[in-house]
Amino acid sequence: TGITSLLGSGVYTAAYPLHDVSSTLLLLYEEWANYSVFYKYQPIGLVRKYFGEKIGLYFAWLGLYTQMLIPASLVGVIVFLYGCATVDDNIPSMEICHPKNNITMCPLCDRVCSYWKLSTACGTARASHLFDNPATVFFSIFMALWAAMFMEHWKRRQMRLNYEWDLTGFEDEEDHPRAEYEFRVMQKSLRKGQKSQRKMEKLTFQDRLPAYMTNIVMLLLMIGVTFAIVFGVILYRISTKAALHMSSSLITRNHVQLTVKTTAAIINLVVILILDEVYGAVARWLTVLEAPKTDKSFEERLIFKTFILKFVNAFTPIIYIAFFRGRLVGRPGSYLYVFDSYRMEECAHGGCLMELCIQLSITMLGKQLIQNNLFEIGIPKLKKLIRFIRSKRGGFQEEERQKKLTRYETDHFLEPFGGLTPEYMEMIIQFGFVTLFVASFPLAPLFALLNNIIEIRLDAKKFVTELRRPVAARAKDIGIWYNILRGVAKVAVIINAFVISFTSDFIPRMVYQYMYSTDGSMHGFVNHTLSYFNVSHFQEGKEPMDPSHLGYPVSICRYKDYREPPWSNTPYELSKEFWAVLAVRLAFVIVFQNVVMLMNDIIDWLIPDIPKDISLQIHKEKILLVELFMKEEQGKSYILDTYLVPHKYPPHHNTTCPNCWQDTSTPSCCLHQILTLLFKCYSRN
Amino acid sequence: TGITSLLGSGVYTAAYPLHDVSSTLLLLYEEWANYSVFYKYQPIGLVRKYFGEKIGLYFAWLGLYTQMLIPASLVGVIVFLYGCATVDDNIPSMEICHPKNNITMCPLCDRVCSYWKLSTACGTARASHLFDNPATVFFSIFMALWAAMFMEHWKRRQMRLNYEWDLTGFEDEEDHPRAEYEFRVMQKSLRKGQKSQRKMEKLTFQDRLPAYMTNIVMLLLMIGVTFAIVFGVILYRISTKAALHMSSSLITRNHVQLTVKTTAAIINLVVILILDEVYGAVARWLTVLEAPKTDKSFEERLIFKTFILKFVNAFTPIIYIAFFRGRLVGRPGSYLYVFDSYRMEECAHGGCLMELCIQLSITMLGKQLIQNNLFEIGIPKLKKLIRFIRSKRGGFQEEERQKKLTRYETDHFLEPFGGLTPEYMEMIIQFGFVTLFVASFPLAPLFALLNNIIEIRLDAKKFVTELRRPVAARAKDIGIWYNILRGVAKVAVIINAFVISFTSDFIPRMVYQYMYSTDGSMHGFVNHTLSYFNVSHFQEGKEPMDPSHLGYPVSICRYKDYREPPWSNTPYELSKEFWAVLAVRLAFVIVFQNVVMLMNDIIDWLIPDIPKDISLQIHKEKILLVELFMKEEQGKSYILDTYLVPHKYPPHHNTTCPNCWQDTSTPSCCLHQILTLLFKCYSRN
């Protein structure tokens, strides 16, 4: 901590271990930080040797995760191909695309839009089948189990590494209080006066209350900002769509949907990228305010806050599209308006799953390409350059220095090591994309796999060539990240259940087939999901300006909802079908969640946490150890007893604690007995 | 194992440690096995000293469970009293009991029953409010959290006991293979011939396949038997009810409901008690057939099977009443018939919750009184008497023996100790009653508490005076029972969610109040839940014989269901209200389950598994120990080095493994380093 305070007060500008340009580093450079060996396992032992256990564990974890992504992306691709192969056998989209289909749909916006033919939605209907077919249900169950398997495998791998790295007996050291914490405590005792300085040893809950309150308020505020921005993007989408609809150019109008969707997704992405940086800073500031006692607790609190903010930031737009979009529309004649003029947006025909899919792929690919790769390669390189230029300006004997640059000088141009948090965070968010909405986007694991294959080598290169050598730290496990991972996997089950039952059309199709279809087939499904609207019931000023756009007068138009027809006793009320479908949807959520949780528990129970060979080995070593230890001790006592004056060293073990030595029924018990006894005897004397 | 085989071959009839009539036993007798100290904590340390850790842990667990039941039963009683206090403000039962209410209900059975007035159901409607009010929803959430708290507290208590009993370093010894297992292996190698005897060391999955298959088949068969018997009791109930209805005596007919319900519950209870014994034997037989390798695995498999069978046995009738009764009735004019003549039973007006409650209390009280107390006190006493009489008959020098009876003789009259399994099993089933259906029976914790206060002392008395002294066994934890407990607590959440939403009338009331009620009150709820039936639509021969029993002609009668009225387009179809209520019910299940699971996780996270003082103490002791150990070692080496010829005992630590001794950054790490090093050095040489 001496160096830390010197660094803190600015006496030193930096302190770092030097890179050791030995055979290890060269080997790492060749066998690890090299894209051409991407198909090989990482040399984790070497990484641990050079960078320490903590970084070794990160790369081991990343390696296992990438390895586990291989089967997931294989199955994902198969599911996607199944969707492609069956797209022509899909009766609902066939019905929509059928040339004889002449269903007239209600206008998609007020005034400027007119009635339209359902058959124009043929393209989206066909495309949405790619992501909305029975195979995705299977795939999301598969991915939930995959996540459970991944957890179990990681536990085993970690145990094996612990054994191989001789960490089985290692326990986290007690941290020293942080300087900030001690400063706060000192301040407090000064404020209180000297009289009670003795017992003023720690900050109480009351002292921390203002910081806690600020934390909660700020977190809620930041989440609120995220929500507000998402809402802003929605408004943008609604208003541009309205504006573009009014444009006279036919091509513009035809491409309205695509343009708006894509630009909105890009805006979302940019906002996510900017807010991510802001949130990182806010989380750090909040944690400093909280003044946790130890470095470990500081890190955990920081991670937790950063995770919450970044997770909300990354997934709010997606959750909006999956669960709220197109549900708050109202109905023809009684639409829901925002600011009295903008109608809430609907999904294209075929469900919102398609849009969810677009949003997911843009966010995921964009985040990975821009944030991870561009930022991760670009920024360190840039910083290195700046640091180099600055040193160039400062120094004048340029040429001499260039020649005899010592190691600590070259290392100083490198970027300082900023901790593993950003690396883990990036991967956890990616894990979220892979598991949370996998029901709607079966290609997510493939994207993640491709990214990670590059990511491993990129990180490796960064550690070997771009960063100052980090101080080696010991760790038995990946700490709080494992818990976060478990949490994400748990949330994934329920979110996937909701995506399948509410976002996709899976349940309505099933309900139609088994409850309403006359011949047990899907024929007539499209007609069944569309309600009737009498155009004379449009509100004043909301009816289309050009009612005969389709070339014939329209008296009844259709819209996608389960509502009573105009000629029923309760026109436009939610129909019996709506409630029946809703009940089945909810029942599916319950069944899906409980079945998956049960299967997860079974996996957890079937796969032992410690690999059998390791547990046997540990057991064997313990026995051998105790035997050796006993033999050695006996030898020593024998020598002591034989060669030395007796009773100079009283035989402790037979004085006050007589029974323990005899109880050697099992070796481990014996060792324990010996140690306990030793302690007790000594503490009594 | 020598004694075991001698016992097995019948050379010895029994082997047991003798009771030690010392001050410990007397103290136990006075301070523990005594009803007058029921309000005191148990002297667990003493129990452990006399009976060993395993039995000590059982009583510690039982003590904590009983202690935790105190707040649960307090809240339960308050909830029940709330029900009692609000029974007069309950609008639905007031409407049923109102003298002006003249709703005519459809007959409850074919032919012999006639129409009846809803106001005659006033009593049951009022009674069911006691167990079906908003407070029970709160109570079942409370009990789910209570179960989580109990688990956490037990983990902490166990940790504390482990520390106090010096078990922190204790590990389960590796068991020897059981005699039966070795016999089976021998048989197998004999069958295969001598040639491959070398590698025939264990039973493979294939060898065990027949046993596994038998297991599965028998378990399914036994569960089938349970189901069949439950179905038999249902048939009994239906047929007796029909028979009693035909009886001419008015009093008999008036008491039909109560008589049939009570006798059926008693039959169920008796069947449960008998089957419990049968299932215990079956589970043992199946486990012997399976031939597990070690005693520990034998015990675990036996417990698992016994648990499954007894659990199914105890809860099948209750689950039937909670979730199936009254749901498979059909509707007037199209009832569901069993064996073409018996109509499936309905619940009395006010839901099946009342009946569930009766069944629960009879089963729980009956099981506790008869099985636990009567059997547990009566049978050992009886056996002791038989053993005493038998020995009397055999011996002739009666008087002399009576005088100089040695300890091993008196102990021989005692019942041999049969393991803790029955004790735990009884408590787990009770835990099931307390948590699984607590939404319908808030007094369950109170009954359990009263039973357990007696149970502790009863068990204590049994161990001190009625049983031969058990062989003391070590244990760190309660083993598989903890997992079973966790499993029951998990199942309890989902079952309570279903009981609240499907068995109780909570959801229909909420739906009525917020969706259908005209003035936001509960007025009109009863009318809303009753559908209409046109009596002319009765099937031929099913209409009541005495249609004008009520004194006026009936053309429309009412029945409890959500169906379309006869005058709709789709008469008697499930109505929109049915689907709406179903959807809300399912939504409630999802919300309830996830909220409770989240809260459980938070409790799990907030309460550390190891009490802080214990973890500090363990840490401190470790440091001290290592220091002492190092000092002692240093002293010895110093003596060895000083007084003895050097190099006779080569200093191992400085030859091949040079670095390890220096790494003493933390004490625990240091100890680990020393031991690992020792092992590695030795195994290399």
Short mmCIF file of all heavy atoms in Angstrom, two decimals, chain B residues 64-91:
data_model
loop_
_atom_site.label_atom_id
_atom_site.label_comp_id
_atom_site.label_asym_id
_atom_site.label_seq_id
_atom_site.Cartn_x
_atom_site.Cartn_y
_atom_site.Cartn_z
N LEU B 64 -34.80 -26.85 16.00
CA LEU B 64 -34.88 -25.61 15.21
C LEU B 64 -36.21 -25.55 14.47
O LEU B 64 -36.86 -24.50 14.42
CB LEU B 64 -33.73 -25.52 14.21
CG LEU B 64 -33.75 -24.24 13.38
CD1 LEU B 64 -33.34 -23.05 14.23
CD2 LEU B 64 -32.85 -24.35 12.17
N TYR B 65 -36.62 -26.68 13.92
CA TYR B 65 -37.88 -26.74 13.17
C TYR B 65 -39.04 -26.35 14.08
O TYR B 65 -39.88 -25.52 13.72
CB TYR B 65 -38.04 -28.15 12.60
CG TYR B 65 -39.35 -28.45 11.95
CD1 TYR B 65 -39.90 -27.59 11.01
CD2 TYR B 65 -40.04 -29.62 12.26
CE1 TYR B 65 -41.10 -27.88 10.41
CE2 TYR B 65 -41.24 -29.92 11.66
CZ TYR B 65 -41.78 -29.05 10.75
OH TYR B 65 -42.97 -29.34 10.16
N THR B 66 -39.05 -26.92 15.28
CA THR B 66 -40.13 -26.61 16.22
C THR B 66 -40.11 -25.14 16.60
O THR B 66 -41.15 -24.48 16.64
CB THR B 66 -39.96 -27.49 17.46
OG1 THR B 66 -39.86 -28.85 17.05
CG2 THR B 66 -41.14 -27.35 18.39
N GLN B 67 -38.90 -24.64 16.83
CA GLN B 67 -38.75 -23.23 17.19
C GLN B 67 -39.28 -22.33 16.07
O GLN B 67 -39.99 -21.36 16.32
CB GLN B 67 -37.27 -23.00 17.41
CG GLN B 67 -36.89 -21.78 18.20
CD GLN B 67 -35.38 -21.63 18.18
OE1 GLN B 67 -34.64 -22.64 18.20
NE2 GLN B 67 -34.90 -20.41 18.13
N MET B 68 -38.92 -22.69 14.82
CA MET B 68 -39.36 -21.88 13.68
C MET B 68 -40.87 -21.98 13.51
O MET B 68 -41.49 -21.11 12.88
CB MET B 68 -38.68 -22.34 12.40
CG MET B 68 -37.20 -22.06 12.32
SD MET B 68 -36.80 -20.33 12.07
CE MET B 68 -37.43 -20.04 10.42
N LEU B 69 -41.48 -23.07 14.00
CA LEU B 69 -42.93 -23.21 13.84
C LEU B 69 -43.69 -22.21 14.71
O LEU B 69 -44.85 -21.93 14.45
CB LEU B 69 -43.37 -24.63 14.20
CG LEU B 69 -43.22 -25.68 13.11
CD1 LEU B 69 -43.57 -27.05 13.64
CD2 LEU B 69 -44.12 -25.34 11.93
N ILE B 70 -43.03 -21.67 15.75
CA ILE B 70 -43.74 -20.76 16.65
C ILE B 70 -44.23 -19.52 15.90
O ILE B 70 -45.44 -19.25 15.91
CB ILE B 70 -42.85 -20.38 17.86
CG1 ILE B 70 -42.54 -21.65 18.67
CG2 ILE B 70 -43.54 -19.35 18.74
CD1 ILE B 70 -41.54 -21.42 19.78
N PRO B 71 -43.33 -18.76 15.21
CA PRO B 71 -43.89 -17.61 14.47
C PRO B 71 -44.89 -18.02 13.41
O PRO B 71 -45.91 -17.35 13.23
CB PRO B 71 -42.65 -16.97 13.84
CG PRO B 71 -41.57 -17.97 13.92
CD PRO B 71 -41.87 -18.82 15.11
N ALA B 72 -44.62 -19.15 12.74
CA ALA B 72 -45.54 -19.59 11.68
C ALA B 72 -46.92 -19.85 12.25
O ALA B 72 -47.94 -19.43 11.66
CB ALA B 72 -44.99 -20.83 11.00
N SER B 73 -47.00 -20.53 13.41
CA SER B 73 -48.33 -20.84 13.93
C SER B 73 -48.99 -19.58 14.48
O SER B 73 -50.21 -19.45 14.38
CB SER B 73 -48.28 -21.95 14.97
OG SER B 73 -47.18 -21.82 15.79
N LEU B 74 -48.19 -18.67 15.02
CA LEU B 74 -48.77 -17.40 15.48
C LEU B 74 -49.46 -16.68 14.32
O LEU B 74 -50.64 -16.31 14.42
CB LEU B 74 -47.66 -16.50 16.01
CG LEU B 74 -47.55 -16.39 17.52
CD1 LEU B 74 -46.37 -15.53 17.91
CD2 LEU B 74 -48.85 -15.82 18.08
N VAL B 75 -48.72 -16.51 13.21
CA VAL B 75 -49.30 -15.83 12.05
C VAL B 75 -50.50 -16.61 11.53
O VAL B 75 -51.53 -16.02 11.18
CB VAL B 75 -48.25 -15.62 10.95
CG1 VAL B 75 -48.86 -14.98 9.73
CG2 VAL B 75 -47.10 -14.77 11.46
N GLY B 76 -50.39 -17.95 11.54
CA GLY B 76 -51.49 -18.80 11.09
C GLY B 76 -52.74 -18.56 11.90
O GLY B 76 -53.84 -18.42 11.37
N VAL B 77 -52.58 -18.49 13.22
CA VAL B 77 -53.73 -18.27 14.09
C VAL B 77 -54.33 -16.90 13.82
O VAL B 77 -55.55 -16.74 13.74
CB VAL B 77 -53.31 -18.43 15.56
CG1 VAL B 77 -54.41 -17.94 16.48
CG2 VAL B 77 -52.98 -19.88 15.85
N ILE B 78 -53.44 -15.89 13.63
CA ILE B 78 -53.96 -14.55 13.34
C ILE B 78 -54.77 -14.55 12.05
O ILE B 78 -55.87 -13.98 11.98
CB ILE B 78 -52.78 -13.53 13.26
CG1 ILE B 78 -52.17 -13.36 14.64
CG2 ILE B 78 -53.26 -12.19 12.71
CD1 ILE B 78 -50.89 -12.55 14.66
N VAL B 79 -54.23 -15.25 11.03
CA VAL B 79 -54.95 -15.33 9.75
C VAL B 79 -56.31 -15.99 9.94
O VAL B 79 -57.34 -15.53 9.43
CB VAL B 79 -54.10 -16.08 8.72
CG1 VAL B 79 -54.94 -16.50 7.53
CG2 VAL B 79 -52.94 -15.23 8.26
N PHE B 80 -56.34 -17.05 10.73
CA PHE B 80 -57.59 -17.76 10.98
C PHE B 80 -58.57 -16.85 11.72
O PHE B 80 -59.75 -16.77 11.37
CB PHE B 80 -57.30 -19.02 11.79
CG PHE B 80 -58.51 -19.85 12.05
CD1 PHE B 80 -59.12 -20.55 11.03
CD2 PHE B 80 -59.05 -19.92 13.32
CE1 PHE B 80 -60.24 -21.32 11.27
CE2 PHE B 80 -60.17 -20.68 13.57
CZ PHE B 80 -60.77 -21.37 12.55
N LEU B 81 -58.06 -16.13 12.72
CA LEU B 81 -58.92 -15.23 13.49
C LEU B 81 -59.44 -14.10 12.59
O LEU B 81 -60.60 -13.69 12.73
CB LEU B 81 -58.15 -14.64 14.68
CG LEU B 81 -57.82 -15.64 15.78
CD1 LEU B 81 -57.03 -14.97 16.89
CD2 LEU B 81 -59.10 -16.28 16.32
N TYR B 82 -58.60 -13.65 11.67
CA TYR B 82 -59.06 -12.63 10.72
C TYR B 82 -60.25 -13.16 9.93
O TYR B 82 -61.25 -12.46 9.75
CB TYR B 82 -57.91 -12.25 9.78
CG TYR B 82 -58.34 -11.39 8.63
CD1 TYR B 82 -58.47 -10.01 8.78
CD2 TYR B 82 -58.64 -11.95 7.39
CE1 TYR B 82 -58.88 -9.22 7.74
CE2 TYR B 82 -59.05 -11.16 6.33
CZ TYR B 82 -59.18 -9.79 6.52
OH TYR B 82 -59.59 -9.02 5.47
N GLY B 83 -60.12 -14.44 9.50
CA GLY B 83 -61.24 -15.07 8.79
C GLY B 83 -62.48 -15.09 9.65
O GLY B 83 -63.58 -14.75 9.19
N CYS B 84 -62.34 -15.46 10.92
CA CYS B 84 -63.48 -15.52 11.83
C CYS B 84 -64.11 -14.15 12.00
O CYS B 84 -65.33 -13.99 12.02
CB CYS B 84 -63.05 -16.04 13.20
SG CYS B 84 -62.52 -17.74 13.18
N ALA B 85 -63.23 -13.13 12.13
CA ALA B 85 -63.73 -11.79 12.42
C ALA B 85 -64.48 -11.19 11.24
O ALA B 85 -65.41 -10.42 11.42
CB ALA B 85 -62.57 -10.88 12.82
N THR B 86 -64.03 -11.57 10.01
CA THR B 86 -64.63 -10.92 8.84
C THR B 86 -65.76 -11.74 8.23
O THR B 86 -66.27 -11.36 7.18
CB THR B 86 -63.57 -10.65 7.77
OG1 THR B 86 -62.94 -11.90 7.44
CG2 THR B 86 -62.52 -9.66 8.24
N VAL B 87 -66.11 -12.86 8.89
CA VAL B 87 -67.10 -13.74 8.26
C VAL B 87 -68.44 -13.03 8.08
O VAL B 87 -69.17 -13.32 7.13
CB VAL B 87 -67.23 -15.06 9.06
CG1 VAL B 87 -67.95 -14.84 10.37
CG2 VAL B 87 -67.90 -16.13 8.23
N ASP B 88 -68.76 -12.07 8.93
CA ASP B 88 -70.04 -11.38 8.81
C ASP B 88 -70.01 -10.24 7.79
O ASP B 88 -71.04 -9.72 7.41
CB ASP B 88 -70.47 -10.85 10.18
CG ASP B 88 -70.91 -11.98 11.08
OD1 ASP B 88 -71.45 -12.98 10.55
OD2 ASP B 88 -70.69 -11.89 12.30
N ASP B 89 -68.79 -9.85 7.37
CA ASP B 89 -68.69 -8.78 6.37
C ASP B 89 -68.53 -9.34 4.97
O ASP B 89 -68.36 -8.58 4.02
CB ASP B 89 -67.48 -7.88 6.66
CG ASP B 89 -67.45 -7.44 8.11
OD1 ASP B 89 -68.54 -7.36 8.69
OD2 ASP B 89 -66.35 -7.19 8.63
N ASN B 90 -68.56 -10.63 4.85
CA ASN B 90 -68.27 -11.25 3.57
C ASN B 90 -69.51 -11.22 2.69
O ASN B 90 -70.49 -11.94 2.95
CB ASN B 90 -67.79 -12.68 3.81
CG ASN B 90 -67.40 -13.35 2.53
OD1 ASN B 90 -66.88 -12.71 1.63
ND2 ASN B 90 -67.69 -14.64 2.43
N ILE B 91 -69.47 -10.41 1.64
CA ILE B 91 -70.69 -10.18 0.85
C ILE B 91 -71.18 -11.46 0.17
O ILE B 91 -72.37 -11.76 0.23
CB ILE B 91 -70.45 -9.03 -0.16
CG1 ILE B 91 -70.20 -7.74 0.62
CG2 ILE B 91 -71.64 -8.87 -1.08
CD1 ILE B 91 -69.76 -6.58 -0.23
#
